[in-house]
Amino acid sequence: MRRDNQSSVSEFLLLGLPIQPEQQGMYCALFLAMYLTTLLGNLLIILLIRLDSRLHTPMYFFLSHLALTDICFSSVIAPKMLMNMLTQTQSISYTGCISQAYFFLFFADLDSFLLTSMAYDRYVAICHPLHYTTVMSQSLCFLFIIVSWVLSSASALVHTLLLARLSFCGDNTIHHFFCDLSALLKLSSSDTTINQLVILTVGVVVITVPLMCILVSYGLIGATILRRPSVKGICKAFSTCGSHLSVVFLYYGAIIGLYSVPSSNNNNDQDVIVSVLYTVVTPMLNPFIYSLRNRDMKGALGNILMG
């Protein structure tokens, strides 16, 4: 089998966002500001956690990795999108498209596993506070990170290898602003049954199972709070879990809305708009959510500004 001839296209055309040509400049400036906010906000979180010794805890350890992942996740999509909007070009090379698909899947999956690790951390902190330091040891935290990276890279690699084996002989126009896996499968002239089956199977591992773990963790947290109801306890639980829950709702809400709710093939604009939510907007909002709703982060920022 001649693998070099599996694909007859050397590049794809990204249609981009469903906006009018005369509005390209305004939206380009808007998305550039959002991307820079994402970079600076998440870098600030990483910096604060490294500089303030009071933030050297498992929760902030996971948060620093989430911030780094959000930077990378957004950087996979935003620069190419902005460059295409600025230059009024739509092309992306075949290799560049496959690479973008891989890194998009990798960092999306990594986000999911990190959010799950943070949910388990909150469960141990609230439901088993006396055993927290013993359970959430440094070795366990590193194990969570290593497993998250391994599973995410394996998942993305499987999808990418199967994608690279497909033939693209006809239309090379992607109705999206990046190389989305589902959009690429629609263009392929090959049988994508195996790809679709793997998407469903791997999706259970990287999306459904983590989401169920998060829901169970917060269900147990809620049950623990209700068994010992007090205004102080509820406020403490809300202050430590509120930020994380907000991010979970944003992230999984967008994914469920995009991939679980059926949409017609002719309604691509809706999918593109929802994709903007979790590829551009959510990574930008995370620093605001964690800094504005977290006293420790605000205290660390105040100390640095005043000191």
Side-chain angles (χ1 to χ4, degrees), residues 149-180:
W149 276 73
V150 170
L151 291 178
S152 299
S153 59
S155 168
L157 186 61
V158 168
H159 287 306
T160 308
L161 290 176
L162 289 174
L163 180 64
R165 295 177 63 87
L166 299 178
S167 296
F168 297 91
C169 302
D171 186 14
N172 68 334
T173 302
I174 301 175
H175 295 268
H176 222 299
F177 61 91
F178 70 98
C179 293
D180 181 59

Side-chain angles (χ1 to χ4, degrees), residues 65-198:
H65 280 270
L66 182 67
L68 178 61
T69 302
D70 282 338
I71 290 173
C72 299
F73 183 50
S74 185
S75 297
V76 170
I77 306 298
K80 179 60 178 175
M81 179 183 71
L82 290 169
M83 186 171 67
N84 285 1
M85 293 176 73
L86 281 172
T87 60
Q88 298 293 309
T89 60
Q90 298 176 316
S91 64
I92 182 172
S93 68
Y94 174 82
T95 303
C97 191
I98 300 298
S99 300
Q100 188 184 60
Y102 170 82
F103 286 108
F104 168 78
L105 292 167
F106 172 72
F107 289 116
D109 294 345
L110 188 55
D111 246 352
S112 180
F113 288 121
L114 288 174
L115 290 173
T116 308
S117 300
M118 295 173 73
Y120 179 74
D121 173 77
R122 292 300 84 206
Y123 158 72
V124 176
I126 294 175
C127 299
H128 305 283
L130 298 179
H131 302 287
Y132 179 75
T133 54
T134 304
V135 175
M136 296 304 298
S137 61
Q138 188 178 53
S139 59
L140 182 64
C141 293
F142 278 112
L143 179 62
F144 278 161
I145 295 298
I146 293 171
V147 171
S148 298
W149 276 73
V150 170
L151 291 178
S152 299
S153 59
S155 168
L157 186 61
V158 168
H159 287 306
T160 308
L161 290 176
L162 289 174
L163 180 64
R165 295 177 63 87
L166 299 178
S167 296
F168 297 91
C169 302
D171 186 14
N172 68 334
T173 302
I174 301 175
H175 295 268
H176 222 299
F177 61 91
F178 70 98
C179 293
D180 181 59
L181 180 61
S182 59
L184 283 168
L185 294 182
K186 292 177 183 178
L187 293 182
S188 176
S189 56
S190 304
D191 182 10
T192 61
T193 303
I194 296 178
N195 299 73
Q196 299 288 355
L197 183 61
V198 171

Side-chain angles (χ1 to χ4, degrees), residues 42 45 66 70 247 250 281-291:
N42 284 289
I45 284 181
L66 182 67
D70 282 338
V247 175
L250 278 173
V281 178
T282 300
M284 180 195 70
L285 291 179
N286 286 357
F288 293 101
I289 292 173
Y290 281 108
S291 61

Side-chain angles (χ1 to χ4, degrees), residues 122 126 218 221 225 232-242:
R122 292 300 84 206
I126 294 175
Y218 278 102
I221 288 173
I225 294 172
K232 183 179 179 180
I234 293 174
C235 291
K236 182 178 179 181
F238 183 77
S239 65
T240 57
C241 300

Side-chain angles (χ1 to χ4, degrees), residues 17 19 21-38 78 81-88 280 284:
L17 298 167
I19 54 179
E22 60 271 15
Q23 297 177 322
Q24 289 277 349
M26 179 184 67
Y27 277 97
C28 184
L30 174 63
F31 286 117
L32 176 60
M34 294 172 69
Y35 177 58
L36 292 176
T37 302
T38 300
M81 179 183 71
L82 290 169
M83 186 171 67
N84 285 1
M85 293 176 73
L86 281 172
T87 60
Q88 298 293 309
V280 180
M284 180 195 70

Side-chain angles (χ1 to χ4, degrees), residues 1-9 94 163-169 190:
M1 183 172 63
R2 295 176 300 172
R3 297 189 63 183
D4 292 341
N5 294 331
Q6 281 294 301
S7 174
S8 62
V9 300
Y94 174 82
L163 180 64
R165 295 177 63 87
L166 299 178
S167 296
F168 297 91
C169 302
S190 304

